[in-house]
Amino acid sequence: YDLGRKYLNFVFETYPNDPLGRQSLLIVADSYFRQGGSTGYTEARFRYRDYLARYPGAPQRDYARYQFAVCYDKEHEKPDRDQTSTREAIEQYRVLLKEFPNSSYTAGTNARIRALFDSLAEHEFLVGYFYMRKGAPKAALGRFLDVEQHYPEYGARDKLFFYSGQVL
């Protein structure tokens, strides 16, 4: 990857307004994405964001926006961890749907948004469950009611209602 990026960065830096320069930047971003891992996704995000900022009328802008969202999606944590990447992934998927409603990359986007919302809801539920176990029923009920109100499509509503009843 490193040697290829070196040559592609040269092309991009030498011919930034040429179609080959634009394509080079996108390929460098893709190489970081394929490399994976926390560092790879972070670097890919920076490159995709650079592409989106530099080339507002580029033909592959929808692809770059989609990949930008997927980078956050790949970094989202389990529901018992920090959900910052999950929230950002949802936001970027929404931007994709708003900017490119007819793009081929939006096909599975709504499903991913629903799955990520379930992850956020599960996170809130787990915080409420923690409060319930620690003997703070008011705090637990607050979290459970928050999940019920803000995540109406939460897949584990039966569990939510069961523990809400227990807390009451």
Side-chain angles (χ1 to χ4, degrees), residues 23-86:
Q23 190 64 27
S24 296
L25 179 58
L26 209 51
I27 292 171
V28 169
D30 285 342
S31 73
Y32 280 113
F33 183 83
R34 286 188 185 99
Q35 180 180 331
S38 181
T39 304
Y41 293 130
T42 301
E43 287 293 329
R45 252 194 350 260
F46 287 134
R47 299 308 190 286
Y48 290 126
R49 184 173 49 211
D50 191 22
Y51 183 87
L52 292 166
R54 286 176 184 262
Y55 309 115
Q60 291 183 307
R61 190 171 165 79
D62 61 337
Y63 171 75
R65 175 64 68 188
Y66 174 73
Q67 288 295 100
F68 186 62
V70 172
C71 285
Y72 279 112
D73 195 351
K74 294 278 189 183
E75 289 185 304
H76 89 271
E77 298 282 341
K78 293 179 181 180
D80 62 340
R81 300 285 178 219
D82 180 36
Q83 296 298 301
T84 303
S85 292
T86 307

Side-chain angles (χ1 to χ4, degrees), residues 1-11 24 27-28 31:
Y1 286 119
D2 292 333
L3 185 59
R5 286 185 199 129
K6 177 181 170 185
Y7 290 119
L8 289 166
N9 278 324
F10 174 79
V11 172
S24 296
I27 292 171
V28 169
S31 73

